[in-house]
Amino acid sequence: MTAPPPLSEPDPSALICPGDRVGHCAGCQRKTHRYGSGGSLLCQWCMESVKAGWGSTVRFVSTRQ
């Protein structure tokens, strides 16, 4: 795993999604694609550390009812 860029740099997913779907990562507060289809609570670097601790099958499950 390479070292993540500075927090001032957005997650690559934030660069390709509409601006209204960008939010802050729940782990490091980096800008990431957080809302809407394909969004995630974590940026790719925070998700890598979660996967390292929990295994590659970890994923976010929606809490919507």
Side-chain angles (χ1 to χ4, degrees):
M1 180 173 119
T2 61
L7 293 178
S8 60
E9 304 255 341
D11 185 55
S13 65
L15 301 175
I16 59 172
C17 72
D20 63 338
R21 295 184 179 192
V22 173
H24 291 99
C25 170
C28 67
Q29 301 303 305
R30 178 187 315 273
K31 287 186 178 181
T32 189
H33 178 185
R34 181 151 181 185
Y35 306 104
S37 178
S40 175
L41 293 174
L42 299 173
C43 69
Q44 69 180 22
W45 294 282
C46 289
M47 184 58 87
E48 282 182 17
S49 66
V50 170
K51 284 182 179 180
W54 288 87
S56 61
T57 58
V58 69
R59 62 188 176 102
F60 174 74
V61 177
S62 176
T63 58
R64 294 181 186 188
Q65 297 180 357

